[in-house]
Amino acid sequence: MTSTDNTTTPSETAQTENGHLLDALDPQLNRWLQDRGLPGYRGKQIRQWLFQQRAANWDAMSDLPQKLRRALAADLPLWQSRILRHIRAADGTEKLLLALSRGGQIECVLLRDRVRRTICISTQVGCGMGCVFCASGLDGVERNLSSGEIVEQMLRLQQLLETEERLSHVVVMGMGELLANLEALLPALAEAHRADGLGISTRRITISTVGLPAAIDRLAGSQPHYRLALSLHAPNDALRRQLVPAGQPLQTLLAAADRYFAVSGRRMTFEYVLLADINDQPDHARQLAHLLGRREALLNVIPYNPVAGLPYRTPSTARQQTFQRILTAAGLRVQFRHRKGSRINAACGQLRRAAGGRYRLSSN
Ligand code: SAH
């Protein structure tokens, strides 16, 4: 693992009066160009530099006149975060800890898996859902991120790729509860999907939520439809209330999930964090199989990634295998997700806490 303290130039990260350039790239660029009597095609060129050619600053946009680049750099800061930590793990996972100029720290991750290049992004500083085992929510939610702050994570992660690598997937599984910040998330995902944005198919964009039924219905009613992953973590309401205190009753949640599936045709994913001695017993597996019934769903089981200071543990391999066997025998599609980058605190919120001095970052 290597770690660098990064070197973003301060002039590229200052705050603009009108918020973030990436909150609304096209209208802001067009207005700036128009005010100076400059041709509109420059806007398209700049978009191409940012999203396709992975430019890290205005100066890299080498087919723009020098004078224009200098004027853009003076007027329109591209970035509103500073890279506090950049950590690379041996398995190819890279993680950024960003300090935002509007305040707060967030994390985002690049995962490499064969030809897949997946980025995992955050939607809030902290999280208000209070899932008892999760590092992100331990101090509650500070604020929602803006669209620009979400797009910025995508671009900064894309800049970590080698020239021959291509971004293939986006997962919104970082810090925060995205259904509490759809206002900012949806325009940001539109940039991920647009052909002249990151150009990623909606089937390869997954948003993960504890499930707020009204917000799921709002998503069902808007276009386009992304893949939805629901964080279940418990097969019955009593246990779920303990683990996911902000959660809704399971039947209400599954009904909203079914409505989303009916209009989107997107296969549902359910996530289940496996916590030793809490939700990992054979009976939990049987209840879960019964709960999900005949749904066309994928069940993503995530063996717990321990968080310093919290009492939860990862189940033994034997326990994990029994759990998997029962679900598979019941006809469910089950995938065990062994978290990548666990050596670099890749589970959401962990690096931020480590950097806050609550515990020392392990290194190898
Ligand atoms: N708010 C969203 C995104 C959270 S992160 C949600 O709740 O879905 C994505 C997934 O990782 C969630 O299912 C979350 O519960 C799970 N998770 C959080 N901390 C974890 C940890 N330490 N180990 C394993 N999974 C964890």
Side-chain angles (χ1 to χ4, degrees), residues 82-339:
R82 205 159 42 84
I83 300 176
L84 280 185
R85 300 289 305 271
H86 175 190
I87 303 182
R88 300 180 186 85
D91 66 5
T93 304
E94 296 190 49
K95 184 159 192 168
L96 299 178
L97 177 68
L98 302 178
L100 303 171
S101 48
R102 282 178 58 207
Q105 295 180 7
I106 53 165
E107 302 172 21
C108 54
V109 187
L110 165 68
L111 298 134
R112 293 181 163 92
D113 185 13
R114 282 159 293 181
V115 296
R116 275 190 188 212
R117 295 294 175 270
T118 303
I119 55 172
C120 176
I121 55 173
S122 294
T123 54
Q124 298 183 307
V125 180
C127 184
M129 296 295 114
C131 300
V132 294
F133 51 83
C134 175
S136 294
L138 288 176
D139 299 319
V141 63
E142 247 171 75
R143 66 176 177 89
N144 282 342
L145 297 184
S146 69
S147 296
E149 288 171 324
I150 299 172
V151 174
E152 176 163 345
Q153 294 171 64
M154 301 186 203
L155 294 180
R156 288 212 184 257
L157 289 167
Q158 183 176 240
Q159 287 161 18
L160 302 179
L161 295 176
E162 301 294 333
T163 319
E164 67 280 7
E165 292 182 300
R166 287 275 165 277
L167 207 60
S168 60
H169 294 72
V170 176
V171 297
V172 187
M173 293 190 183
M175 289 169 58
E177 171 47 48
L178 61 93
L179 291 188
N181 190 18
L182 278 182
E183 229 59 68
L185 178 65
L186 292 180
L189 290 184
E191 289 287 14
H193 174 54
R194 277 173 68 155
D196 60 356
L198 294 175
I200 297 176
S201 144
T202 51
R203 277 175 292 112
R204 294 177 165 195
I205 299 177
T206 302
I207 60 183
S208 172
T209 171
V210 300
L212 309 172
I216 295 178
D217 283 334
R218 197 182 140 199
L219 271 183
S222 70
Q223 287 287 351
H225 292 125
Y226 302 103
R227 283 192 59 169
L228 191 63
L230 276 187
S231 293
L232 276 184
H233 307 329
N236 61 62
D237 280 315
L239 187 53
R240 192 160 193 272
R241 265 195 305 275
Q242 283 175 33
L243 299 177
V244 186
Q248 300 284 316
L250 284 168
Q251 288 307 337
T252 314
L253 183 60
L254 289 177
D258 291 341
R259 289 194 292 276
Y260 187 80
F261 176 73
V263 299
S264 69
R266 297 265 178 266
R267 191 189 58 205
M268 293 291 308
T269 301
F270 294 99
E271 289 168 288
Y272 194 100
V273 172
L274 211 55
L275 305 160
D277 300 329
I278 291 181
N279 66 355
D280 66 338
Q281 307 294 310
D283 196 44
H284 292 129
R286 284 188 284 270
Q287 286 180 37
L288 187 57
H290 181 71
L291 180 74
L292 296 180
R294 301 198 163 277
R295 287 184 174 81
E296 274 283 315
L298 172 69
L299 182 67
N300 234 332
V301 180
I302 318 163
Y304 185 58
N305 192 356
V307 174
L310 292 182
Y312 306 99
R313 289 172 298 110
T314 317
S316 67
T317 309
R319 189 64 70 71
Q320 293 183 32
Q321 284 167 347
T322 308
F323 199 83
Q324 180 163 25
R325 211 169 32 245
I326 295 170
L327 291 163
T328 310
L332 282 175
R333 271 199 55 195
V334 186
Q335 180 178 293
F336 265 61
R337 197 167 85 205
H338 293 281
R339 295 186 77 102

